[in-house]
Amino acid sequence: LIKVCCAPLPNEELKNIIKLLIENKININCQNKSKRTALPFSFFHESTDLVNLLLENKADPSLKDVYERTALHNVFNDIF
């Protein structure tokens, strides 16, 4: 799921792939080696649809990565 959210694909394609993964019971909160989930990566596509899709399917915005930062922390750190 994380790799899908990092893929350089149009947002509509990403949404369709993510929906398919969700239908097939993917762990929406799976984490990579840095303990980041798909949620912070979805912000980089600047698509509220992707973010909402993950949140509506129980993506946990409070999970922390190895640096003790949540998805929201990561987004704000990249903006400022």
Side-chain angles (χ1 to χ4, degrees):
L1 183 60
I2 293 168
K3 289 185 180 193
V4 171
C5 285
C6 293
L9 296 171
N11 288 337
E12 199 59 38
E13 284 184 49
L14 287 172
K15 252 177 45 177
N16 291 334
I17 294 169
I18 293 170
K19 284 179 184 178
L20 181 64
L21 291 171
I22 290 168
E23 288 170 8
N24 285 284
K25 309 292 185 212
I26 188 130
N27 177 0
I28 199 93
N29 291 306
C30 62
Q31 295 173 300
N32 66 8
K33 290 180 184 179
S34 298
K35 295 182 72 178
R36 288 190 179 154
T37 66
L39 189 58
F41 293 106
S42 68
F43 286 111
F44 299 120
H45 288 281
E46 298 178 359
S47 169
T48 55
D49 288 344
L50 291 177
V51 174
N52 286 335
L53 178 61
L54 292 171
L55 290 172
E56 287 167 359
N57 285 280
K58 302 195 186 326
D60 186 349
S62 68
L63 290 177
K64 294 182 179 180
D65 64 15
V66 295
Y67 304 105
E68 295 295 311
R69 295 185 304 203
T70 66
L72 206 51
H73 287 118
N74 288 316
V75 169
F76 282 113
N77 282 338
D78 290 335
I79 292 173
F80 299 106

